[in-house]
Structures are given as structure tokens and as C-alpha cells.
Amino acid sequence: METERKMMQAFHGDTAAKSQLLDRLRVYAEAGAIINADNVWKDGKGSPVGCVVESTDLGLWPQRTGMPKALGCALDHVAKNLGSPRNAGLFVVEWIDAVPVGENMCGVAHELIGWLLTDPEHGVLRLASTETARQSVCRVAEMHRRGAAGQAPAAADWAEVRGAILAVPAPGDKDRTQQWVMAAAESAAWNPETAATVIADTLRAWSLLGAARRAVAKPADSAQLTRDTQPQIPLPKAPAPDGLTKPGIDMNKLRDAFFAEMMRLAQLEHQKVAKAMLDFTRRSAAPAMDAR
Amino acid sequence: MSDAIKHVSEASFEADVIHHTVPILVDFWAEWCGPCKAMNPLLEEIAEEYAGRLTIAKVNADENKQLLATNNVRGIPAMILFKGGTEVARLVGATSKTRFVAFLEPHLVVAA
């Protein structure tokens, strides 16, 4: 059983609404007010979604843009990882500019997830080394292929696939690559027409898969992996008592250099996602142009 | 922030959480916590999808330090599920919707 695609039109078919939004975003971008963050709007600065809706209420995103929430969350997530407010601002303006007025952007959301899962160069599938993992990724990718064609499966079908993936025994701790392959498959098994965080969740698993792969080649990266797999922030502890021996290595410098390198790699990966998002968006205009 | 989410403080915790009649998930968060903010869209979506079966509440960790101590919260985001005034499950760290729903569902099953 399939669901009928939600009727969404980018900018609600209003060219002037797109122009006004773009003008406003250009001002924010030039002022460095589009920051690298998720779901933020404070003191005239914010994440891409925050700057579009001038609030942290994601519910306003479809009202203002005529696009699914999942694309808004994806925009925040990608821009957050582009390294600087300048890069985030440039990307957001370029992407909004590329969105064709009146186009239903749900297909782009499905295509982007499909790309994350199956692209021969960057997709999750190339790293799936077990038959179960390959089948899980392919099954979810097929659902998104149908979604991109305007025939997204029903909610019960997505739930059934998620249940099947969750029922697979977890790969051992030594096989973190396969853990993140399965995590990407399970994260992606939602309909982006209705689930706001599906692209961002899939991107997170996709990034961690990249880190897991690097950790195999370079064990030092496993520290980053451990940090990212437990994405929580410890609350400050009481100060250490006086008289402890000072370590011979400047741990702060070492840590800063390590995280700078991790940030650089994450930035490179997310530049590829930003390009894919732009490509799918630009391509989405083509059939509509032909039809006219 | 969606109206579907309740904001709770030390003063209102007893009435809003302990005496709440339906299961309530309390999210301990802070303004400076990136993973906490990344969870907001998911929490808003869950609040809408589970309306009537589950309440979502938020506690600002900076403004309610006593609640951190009484609930043994050592890292954020920390999401504690209360039923009938008692903690029944807890999830620490940002997570995907799939894992979040898998965490919640067993506790929201209505007895036949």
C-alpha cells in the first residue's frame, strides 16, 4: 500500500515569496548571522532554519517555504558541518536560490537519502560487508526510490522495515563499520514527507560510518568515534585538588589539534552532501520545465 | 518551540511530573548544549505524534540544578521517562528517531 504524496509546493508557488526570503537570507549571510548550528534562533542570529523562520519553531518551516520539515533539518545539519558561518551562509543562499518555485520537494528528500545509502562513491552500501547489512540498506533505498517517484510506501511498511532491521543481532563492538551501516539503514527507514529528522539522522549515521572507517585505518580516530556515539555533554565536575602532578604533554593542544582535524574531515564530507543536495534540487526543476 | 511541550521548573516538578496522569518524558537540556538543540525537532514531532499517550516536558539544567541532583543527571541531553511519578527508563545522549521510538514504545503499551 502506498501513500499519496503530501501536496507541497515550494514557496507555495509564489515567486515573490522566494525573492523576499532570498533577500533576507543574503542580508543574514553577509552579516555572518547564519551560524553553524541545529535549531537555533537567538539575538538575530541562527541556524539556517532559524534564519528562515526567525524562530526555533520548525513547524513554521513548511508554512514559510512549502517544503517538508526534513529538508529544513537537513539544511541545518549540513550547514552546521561546513566549518564557518561564511560557508553556511553561502550554501543556504545557493540552495534556496536553486529551489524551483512551485516544485514538490518531497522527491528531493527521498533522493538525498537514497544517495547517502547507495551512491557508489559515498554511499553506505559500499561499506556493507554482510548479506544482512546489504539487504537492509537496499530495502530502505528501494522505499526511497519509490518515494522519489511519488509513490512513498505507507507508514506501516516503513515500520515493518525498521522492526526487521532492529531485530537483526547487533554486530560486535569490534565491527563498528557494520554497526554504523545498520544504524544508517534504520535511521533512514522513515518517510521524509512526514518525519522531520530522517535526513539529519541518516547523515549523522553516515558521518559516523566515515569516522568508523577512518578509525580502522587510524586507531586514534576511535576517540572521536567514542565521543560521537555518545553525543552527550558531561556536566562540569568539582575542580581537582591541588598538588596533582602536571602531565608532561599539553593535553589541551593535543586535543585541539585532534578535533581540528576531525572538523576538517567532517567539513570535506559535508561539502559532498551539500553538492548532492544542490544537484538533486536543480535537477528537480527539469521535468517541470519540460512539461511547460 | 512547540506549544505541545511543557516547561517544568523545580517549583512545578512535583505537580507537573510526579503527579502527572499520563507517562511524561522529561528532557534535561541547556542553552549551550548542541546535541540538546539537535533533539528539539524530534521531541516536537514525538509530542505531536504521541499526544494523549505521552507528555514531553523540558527542564533547563542551568536554572534547575537541584533537579539534576535529585534525578542523578550527570550529562545532557538526558531524557527520563516517568510513569505514575516513578522513573521507568532513561536515555542519555542524542539519538535517531528509530532508536527513540524503540526506547519509548515498550513503556507506552496499553494493557488489554
Side-chain angles (χ1 to χ4, degrees):
Chain A
M1 192 179 158
E2 288 163 351
T3 49
E4 197 172 316
R5 176 172 286 179
K6 275 174 106 176
M7 280 309 295
M8 296 195 100
Q9 281 190 310
F11 309 108
H12 307 288
D14 184 348
T15 307
K18 176 179 172 177
S19 296
Q20 285 164 10
L21 176 60
L22 261 178
D23 289 346
R24 193 154 50 80
L25 287 175
R26 284 192 180 109
V27 172
Y28 282 133
E30 279 164 23
I34 300 179
I35 60 173
N36 308 95
D38 280 312
N39 195 238
V40 171
W41 176 250
K42 195 177 180 191
D43 302 330
K45 292 186 176 185
S47 60
V49 171
C51 288
V52 168
V53 303
E54 298 181 321
S55 159
T56 56
D57 185 355
L58 184 65
L60 296 172
W61 168 268
Q63 290 178 28
R64 301 277 165 83
T65 66
M67 291 189 261
K69 291 178 187 176
L71 282 174
C73 285
L75 197 61
D76 269 10
H77 188 89
V78 174
K80 181 177 78 172
N81 288 288
L82 290 180
S84 68
R86 182 178 179 278
N87 291 348
L90 285 172
F91 169 58
V92 172
V93 169
E94 192 177 6
W95 185 73
I96 292 281
D97 194 20
V99 173
V101 174
E103 189 66 33
N104 187 332
M105 295 293 285
C106 293
V108 170
H110 284 290
E111 281 186 296
L112 185 59
I113 300 173
W115 179 86
L116 288 168
L117 294 177
T118 61
D119 181 76
E121 197 180 341
H122 306 294
V124 169
L125 186 60
R126 78 197 196 285
L127 299 174
S129 62
T130 66
E131 192 51 32
T132 308
R134 272 193 293 274
Q135 280 177 5
S136 299
V137 174
C138 288
R139 202 171 166 195
V140 178
E142 169 59 19
M143 295 176 90
H144 286 291
R145 193 197 59 73
R146 286 164 56 193
Q151 297 170 333
D157 296 336
W158 293 100
E160 195 251 315
V161 168
R162 283 193 303 275
I165 297 171
L166 287 173
V168 173
D173 273 351
K174 286 184 181 167
D175 199 352
R176 284 195 157 147
T177 300
Q178 294 315 296
Q179 281 181 359
W180 287 109
V181 166
M182 295 302 281
E186 73 183 37
S187 298
W190 294 88
N191 185 351
E193 298 169 33
T194 51
T197 59
V198 57
I199 305 176
D201 285 348
T202 309
L203 271 168
R204 210 165 285 125
W206 178 84
S207 293
L208 290 166
L209 181 57
R213 195 164 162 244
R214 286 194 296 275
V216 172
K218 197 165 67 160
D221 284 3
S222 61
Q224 167 73 4
L225 185 63
T226 305
R227 177 177 168 270
D228 282 346
T229 52
Q230 299 291 334
Q232 54 170 304
I233 297 183
L235 292 167
K237 291 178 183 162
D242 291 337
L244 290 178
T245 311
K246 197 175 174 185
I249 308 166
D250 186 336
M251 293 305 287
N252 286 338
K253 275 191 182 166
L254 196 64
R255 186 200 58 204
D256 289 350
F258 177 76
F259 285 120
E261 175 63 3
M262 290 301 108
M263 292 285 283
R264 190 186 68 79
L265 293 171
Q267 192 180 330
L268 286 174
E269 284 179 342
H270 284 81
Q271 281 169 359
K272 292 168 194 161
V273 182
K275 184 179 178 306
M277 203 165 160
L278 274 164
D279 288 347
F280 290 129
T281 300
R282 288 189 176 122
R283 231 177 286 161
S284 72
M289 296 288 281
D290 292 346
R292 280 197 288 271
Chain B
M1 180 61 65
S2 162
D3 292 339
I5 294 181
K6 187 188 276 251
H7 290 266
V8 173
S9 66
E10 279 164 8
S12 69
F13 193 82
E14 184 83 11
D16 285 344
V17 176
I18 302 301
H19 297 301
H20 199 62
T21 50
V22 296
I24 180 164
L25 182 90
V26 183
D27 169 37
F28 290 83
W29 70 284
E31 192 64 50
W32 43 265
C33 168
C36 301
K37 291 186 173 176
M39 284 295 288
N40 280 341
L42 176 55
L43 291 171
E44 287 177 15
E45 193 164 278
I46 293 288
E48 285 169 19
E49 288 176 8
Y50 288 75
R53 295 170 63 200
L54 173 76
T55 301
I56 305 276
K58 290 178 91 66
V59 168
N60 185 320
D62 288 335
E63 294 168 3
N64 298 281
K65 293 208 165 84
Q66 188 58 42
L67 286 178
L68 301 183
T70 53
N71 289 286
N72 200 24
V73 173
R74 290 160 186 245
I76 55 173
M79 287 149 283
I80 306 179
L81 182 63
F82 290 88
K83 277 172 89 172
T86 306
E87 176 181 340
V88 292
R90 120 173 7 209
L91 184 67
V92 181
T95 192
S96 69
K97 185 171 182 181
T98 303
R99 291 282 159 181
F100 195 68
V101 168
F103 157 78
L104 283 176
E105 284 287 352
H107 302 287
L108 303 180
V109 174
V110 179

